[in-house]
Amino acid sequence: MLLRGTGVGRGIAIGPVVRMPDPLSEPDEKRRTTDADSEYSRARAALTTVAADLADRAALAGGEAEGVIHAQAMMTQDTALLDDVRSRIEAGSTAERAVFEAFHSVRQLLLSMGGSPADRAVDVADVSQRVIAQLRGVAPPGVPNVDHPFVLLASDLAPSDAAMLDIGQVLGLVTLGGGPTSHTAILARSKGIVAVVGVADAAGIDDGATVLLDAGDGTVTVAPTPEEIAASRERLLARRVAVPVGPGTLADGTGIELLANIGSPDEAEAALRQGAEGIGLFRTEFLFFGARTAPTVAEQQAVYRRLFAACEGKRVVVRTLDAGSDKPLAFLGTGVEENPALGVRGIRALRAHESVLRDQLTALAAADAETDADVWVMAPMVADADETGYFVALARSLGIRVAGVMAEVPSCALMAGQVLGIADFVSIGTNDLTQYTLAADRRLAAVAGYSDPWHPAVLRLVKMLGDAGTQSGRPVGVCGEAAADPMLAVVLVGLGISSLSMAPSALDAVRTQLRQHTLEHARALAVAALGASTAAEARARVSEQS
């Protein structure tokens, strides 16, 4: 039986299926038998324990996962939620029931809002399950602990589970929901785990059944025959071409910088060992998530200094705080928004709280002055030349030498000439650019089919930015997940992209693929993709000509 989804990476995995366990049962509606204060103390203790556990998981996870899990931990200390739990206990509920109902009400509210808030409902449910498990004295549902390698099958994974996958045990991952730019897919790619996501028909796979995952084809074969296994291994070998480690270059010697996306200073050295020529995206959110107040200039400077020292002589592109939408922070106070993905986020949130931005830029400039890294700083979610001018002027006034912006919304691409007349560089975040171009939340399973950076509409916006970069003589790079797709990376170069930044685990595959094509051929492939009408057709056209 052959099932189809969206592959993450280009590898294959073969092994027995282990299904994620079912959630804990809903607590009974029985009346409590203890006094309200004692029952509330039980609830608070469980919430505090879960918060500490999630904080530990965040620290171990690092990278993009760290901020996401910290946001989960913050839920357990939310004042409104704690008040709700107390009021339900005072009305007669047990601690288990009060926690369940309080979290359930938040989850239902998020689901009713749709978009990015609806996706956070998974995180809320995960925290609720962990607190209830703590109250019951049982292990929370999560990735099974088995004594043999396996392929994990799940409806979807909470960030705390996805981030903690043991790559020594988990051969591959199949999820019913999610798309190529969902948190699950991004975390799987960063860990080098073969995954096929959005496989809606996978629910019928039996526990223990042998499956063959081919991420390159986006397929799951149940009970594969020896011939099917042999064929998949031949396809995998065909995708691999021996190539020496070194800088990114095309077959004709054209240089394409290959950089790494990281989320903490501790990841820098490992990324450089894996062949990164520098850091193309340093996410600074981990410094801010979980905090009630913004970190001081001195606290930030110490972290940035450590990162820059580890990257002596190499480029480090730092993204200023990207908050708002599904990543709210207490000290930014954006308030409740009906559609936060289209609200006060990125540069808008920083502009409304300029002191936070000023402190971050001051800390970055000071750390840069103390080290020998080539530091570039960019603002997220910039829409036009006005926002570009605001950020670049402020950054330069505070000592930033190279100031640029991220192109994540279509308007930035449409105004590319003006933007690149001001900014020193542009870095394209293809994850958000894709979701805004196609009006499809990249983490919502129901529209996962739209969240594909191969779509010609997205590629045309990339070309606008690439052309503007060529005309202005200023670099335009890509730091979204599209850069980790080896064949799409070639197309991006053909569209005028000069650097590609990705999860370190993807560097070898992208470097190998680039060296099989000249710049002329990359441009021809780009023309073929731009002439398609769908993402699938773009892929097919490029595949035929590569």
Side-chain angles (χ1 to χ4, degrees):
M1 179 170 61
L2 183 68
L3 308 177
R4 295 192 177 276
T6 301
V8 177
R10 294 171 65 79
I12 65 170
I14 305 169
V17 164
V18 171
R19 301 176 69 97
M20 283 280 285
D22 293 331
L24 297 174
S25 60
E26 181 178 325
D28 295 333
E29 296 187 40
K30 63 184 180 182
R31 306 281 292 180
R32 60 178 167 78
T33 57
T34 59
D35 65 274
D37 288 342
S38 297
E39 200 70 3
Y40 181 63
S41 294
R42 285 184 64 228
R44 283 300 303 267
L47 287 159
T48 300
T49 299
V50 168
D53 176 65
L54 288 171
D56 290 341
R57 285 171 173 260
L60 287 171
E64 174 138 334
E66 185 168 10
V68 179
I69 301 173
H70 265 309
Q72 282 189 288
M74 288 175 62
M75 295 178 197
T76 65
Q77 306 304 311
D78 183 82
T79 303
L81 187 139
L82 292 173
D83 289 344
D84 192 9
V85 170
R86 175 180 276 281
S87 66
R88 292 176 189 277
I89 289 174
E90 290 176 346
S93 292
T94 62
E96 290 90 336
R97 186 69 192 180
V99 166
F100 171 80
E101 291 181 349
F103 276 93
H104 183 70
S105 65
V106 174
R107 181 172 178 272
Q108 292 302 114
L109 174 62
L110 292 172
L111 288 171
S112 69
M113 293 169 67
S116 295
D119 191 62
R120 292 181 61 212
V122 175
D123 304 358
V124 174
D126 177 57
V127 177
S128 176
Q129 288 273 296
R130 292 180 182 279
V131 177
I132 292 170
Q134 181 68 29
L135 287 166
R136 290 180 178 177
V138 300
V143 178
N145 183 16
V146 296
D147 59 1
H148 61 80
F150 60 93
V151 173
L152 181 64
L153 173 62
S155 294
D156 205 348
L157 289 179
S160 55
D161 287 326
M164 302 303 289
L165 291 177
D166 181 356
I167 59 176
Q169 286 288 93
V170 180
L171 300 169
L173 172 65
V174 179
T175 65
L176 277 62
T181 57
S182 65
H183 279 304
T184 298
I186 291 171
L187 294 173
R189 183 178 286 112
S190 69
K191 287 177 170 287
I193 295 175
V194 177
V196 183
V197 300
V199 188
D201 297 329
I205 301 176
D206 294 330
D207 200 31
T210 298
V211 294
L212 163 65
L213 276 59
D214 188 325
D217 288 349
T219 58
V220 178
T221 304
V222 183
T225 65
E227 293 76 16
E228 287 172 327
I229 293 174
S232 69
R233 285 177 172 158
E234 287 180 8
R235 289 196 299 272
L236 181 62
L237 288 173
R239 296 172 192 152
R240 293 177 175 172
V241 178
V243 60
V245 174
T249 59
L250 298 176
D252 57 11
T254 302
I256 304 297
E257 285 187 299
L258 297 182
L259 310 169
N261 297 341
I262 64 172
S264 73
D266 296 335
E267 298 175 38
E269 290 186 6
L272 296 177
R273 286 196 300 270
Q274 288 179 263
E277 298 174 57
I279 305 303
L281 171 61
F282 176 61
R283 309 178 186 93
T284 58
E285 285 72 46
F286 76 100
L287 281 165
F288 297 84
F289 282 131
R292 290 293 174 184
T293 58
T296 65
V297 170
E299 289 169 340
Q300 293 186 63
Q301 183 178 340
V303 173
Y304 304 143
R305 183 193 307 120
R306 184 154 57 94
L307 169 66
F308 300 160
C311 300
E312 184 176 353
K314 299 185 182 297
R315 179 179 306 173
V316 182
V317 183
V318 180
R319 181 179 70 190
T320 57
L321 174 63
D322 185 13
S325 183
D326 61 326
K327 297 179 285 187
L329 293 174
F331 54 84
L332 290 186
T334 54
V336 177
E337 298 175 345
E338 289 189 10
N339 191 346
L342 301 179
V344 183
R345 60 169 300 193
I347 187 64
R348 299 171 186 176
L350 293 174
R351 199 169 185 176
H353 298 82
E354 191 177 284
S355 61
V356 174
L357 177 57
R358 282 180 171 274
D359 283 354
Q360 185 169 27
L361 293 172
T362 299
L364 285 165
D368 182 17
E370 295 176 313
T371 56
D372 292 322
D374 180 16
V375 178
W376 297 16
V377 182
M378 61 185 180
M381 298 298 297
V382 169
D384 55 25
D386 175 69
E387 289 183 345
T388 301
Y390 163 76
F391 176 76
V392 170
L394 180 62
R396 287 177 179 159
S397 73
L398 294 172
I400 300 299
R401 293 176 297 171
V402 183
V405 300
M406 287 195 73
E408 300 169 276
V409 294
S411 61
C412 191
L414 294 169
M415 306 297 288
Q418 293 182 11
V419 168
L420 277 157
I422 302 169
D424 294 322
F425 70 98
V426 165
S427 185
I428 305 173
T430 51
N431 300 352
D432 273 320
L433 183 62
T434 301
Q435 78 165 344
Y436 287 124
T437 301
L438 294 164
D441 189 328
R442 64 191 178 98
R443 290 160 296 187
L444 190 60
V447 293
Y450 293 94
S451 299
D452 194 331
W454 276 91
H455 197 288
V458 179
L459 299 181
R460 292 183 186 194
L461 293 173
V462 172
K463 186 176 187 302
M464 288 181 178
L465 288 156
D467 288 347
T470 300
Q471 292 166 9
S472 65
R474 295 182 173 182
V476 176
V478 167
C479 64
E481 288 300 303
D485 181 330
M487 203 63 245
L488 183 52
V490 176
V491 172
L492 293 173
V493 168
L495 294 171
I497 298 306
S498 58
S499 67
L500 299 163
S501 189
M502 65 205 75
S505 60
L507 287 165
D508 282 347
V510 172
R511 181 185 294 108
T512 299
Q513 190 63 248
L514 289 176
R515 294 196 185 184
Q516 313 313 308
H517 306 271
T518 64
L519 181 57
E520 182 181 2
H521 190 219
R523 288 170 175 166
L525 294 177
V527 170
L530 290 170
S533 58
T534 66
E537 184 185 343
R539 272 195 187 86
R541 286 187 174 201
V542 169
S543 178
E544 290 170 1
Q545 297 186 31
S546 61

